[in-house]
Amino acid sequence: MKQNTPRVALLTLLLVCVLGVLSFGGCTSNPNPPEPGALSAIPAHLPTLIVPSDNVMTPEKVELGRHLFYDKRMSRDGTIACASCHRQEVAFSDGPNIVSTGVNDANGQRNAPTIVNAAYRRTQFWDGRAASLEAQAMGAFTHPVEMFADTVAVASYVRLTYTERWRQVFGDSAVTMKRAMQAIAAFERTIISANSRYDRYILGNTTALSTEEQHGMRLFFSDRTMCSSCHNGPDLTDDNYHNIGLFHHYFDRGRYNVTKDIDDEGLFRTPTLRNVALTPPYMATGDSEDGVMQTLEQVMKHYNAGGTNFPNKDKRVRKLGLTEAEVAAVIAFMRALTDSSVITNSRFGPP
């Protein structure tokens, strides 16, 4: 069914919310982001968070996780924290870096993705190799070109530095890396974005988007562009893996590195488009700087042209034939997905 009018977009969201009454508790008109101390304050037009049974969230655990997230002493040489590659001012992405940099100035393979709304991802990392936020944190924590932590030294440091906080959360002084990653993941699960002008529009404020932005939204949700066939749902991602025709050959083989299935060659996880205007560069891996796009205009130029003819390219990536005005409208809509509260909320920032 085409989603080609503001009314249809609104009705679609309302249908999601009606269904949510059965499982998520229904809709409200309050899209304010949750505070870490108010763990049940997820906006009702987003799904309820699924929290691992062995990592129940408490305000104390979230606060401990926030401290650990910003602590550079968690890395081997004391120069890298989780926040080094997930910076609040750029929506918890890695800003302008084409690939992220770890300890000893080592270059990684890809640009670190945003962790905003990462709690809703079924898997973590661009290739989906981690099944949870806890596993993602441990992966970065131990990776030789990321934090490369000396776990014994870190355990000793945490035991001395966070003694009282640790006891409040875990009830004893037994410091393990599993517990530390659980605390970090608990904090990350509170970084929720749901207060963009687009959110206000679909919740009933029909003046929240300009005429151009509404036109871009209709194009975005149309069969003509098929943008929303991958960027769909409350978080504007299908949480699946696709090839969008960046290269004729991929040195970074993407999802294939996890599954070893040739059909997954060059496939990467669909990113959320929330705050997308704050998170360039786009399409950034260590393959080639030629494929990196610094602006949404470059992204739309790529899709409008249909990409390369890589064998695994998704069939929905084809020439769109959009006019300059139509491209500008889609970009205007994507900019309306910015939620400035994410980058200004002090509860997400350093202690």
Side-chain angles (χ1 to χ4, degrees):
M1 179 176 65
K2 290 186 178 181
Q3 297 178 342
N4 56 5
T5 67
R7 176 181 175 84
V8 172
L10 178 60
L11 289 176
T12 300
L13 196 284
L14 290 175
L15 176 60
V16 171
C17 290
V18 169
L19 294 175
V21 171
L22 301 177
S23 57
F24 301 138
C27 281
T28 73
S29 59
N30 180 16
N32 294 322
E35 302 291 356
L39 302 178
S40 62
I42 302 300
H45 68 294
L46 292 185
T48 299
L49 290 181
I50 298 176
V51 178
S53 59
D54 65 347
N55 191 20
V56 176
M57 293 172 67
T58 65
E60 294 79 13
K61 186 183 289 184
V62 167
E63 188 61 13
L64 172 62
R66 181 165 75 111
H67 279 74
L68 298 178
F69 182 88
Y70 281 96
D71 195 335
K72 293 182 178 180
R73 291 287 299 275
M74 298 292 284
S75 66
R76 182 170 292 263
D77 63 2
T79 63
I80 300 293
C82 300
S84 299
C85 296
H86 300 285
R87 293 182 280 139
Q88 184 179 20
E89 66 270 22
V90 283
F92 291 94
S93 68
D94 198 14
N97 297 320
I98 293 175
V99 295
S100 297
T101 302
V103 296
N104 300 316
D105 293 324
N107 287 329
Q109 187 178 18
R110 301 166 183 155
N111 175 271
T114 177
I115 57 168
V116 173
N117 289 18
Y120 291 110
R121 305 286 72 77
R122 292 195 299 267
T123 60
Q124 305 295 327
F125 294 113
W126 289 116
D127 55 16
R129 65 184 182 274
S132 67
L133 279 172
E134 289 80 1
Q136 181 276 328
M138 186 67 80
F141 185 62
T142 57
H143 199 284
V145 297
E146 294 186 48
M147 297 177 75
F148 198 26
D150 180 335
T151 56
V152 174
V154 167
S156 178
Y157 166 73
V158 170
R159 189 177 298 111
L160 291 173
T161 307
Y162 298 104
T163 306
E164 291 306 313
R165 289 187 183 279
W166 195 271
R167 285 186 177 275
Q168 288 177 357
V169 173
F170 297 109
D172 57 49
S173 59
V175 175
T176 67
M177 293 306 98
K178 178 180 178 180
R179 283 177 163 185
M181 298 307 108
Q182 286 178 326
I184 291 171
F187 167 64
E188 291 177 337
R189 286 192 174 94
T190 68
I191 304 175
I192 299 297
S193 175
N195 194 25
S196 67
R197 288 189 293 111
Y198 171 67
D199 290 289
R200 295 195 285 276
Y201 180 86
I202 59 179
L203 287 171
N205 181 358
T206 56
T207 64
L209 297 181
S210 69
T211 300
E212 182 184 38
E213 290 162 349
Q214 291 182 40
H215 180 41
M217 182 187 68
R218 290 192 293 271
L219 286 167
F220 183 93
F221 287 104
S222 72
D223 288 340
R224 182 178 171 194
T225 68
M226 300 190 75
C227 298
S228 62
S229 64
C230 292
H231 295 285
N232 54 50
D235 212 27
L236 297 167
T237 172
D238 63 0
D239 247 348
N240 213 330
Y241 307 91
H242 305 282
N243 181 281
I244 60 170
L246 283 177
F247 308 113
H248 294 288
H249 175 78
Y250 285 75
F251 293 100
D252 182 349
R253 304 176 79 179
R255 183 66 174 163
Y256 171 86
N257 293 332
V258 178
T259 67
K260 305 306 179 185
D261 184 340
I262 196 62
D263 290 337
D264 287 336
E265 179 108 25
L267 273 61
F268 295 87
R269 182 168 52 80
T270 305
T272 175
L273 290 191
R274 288 188 175 276
N275 302 295
V276 66
L278 302 177
T279 61
Y282 310 105
M283 329 301 186
T285 74
D287 259 334
S288 168
E289 293 190 13
D290 294 337
V292 175
M293 302 173 195
Q294 297 290 348
T295 67
L296 291 175
E297 285 77 10
Q298 289 173 309
V299 171
M300 285 303 299
K301 181 178 179 181
H302 168 80
Y303 282 114
N304 207 25
T308 68
N309 291 323
F310 186 71
N312 279 348
K313 186 181 74 172
D314 194 295
K315 291 181 174 55
R316 289 167 291 189
V317 180
R318 80 281 187 228
K319 291 183 179 181
L320 301 179
L322 298 177
T323 66
E324 289 186 8
E326 289 172 328
V327 167
V330 174
I331 292 171
F333 168 67
M334 289 194 286
R335 294 189 185 283
L337 301 174
T338 299
D339 175 2
S340 60
S341 66
V342 168
I343 62 176
T344 59
N345 190 336
S346 62
R347 290 182 178 269
F348 299 155

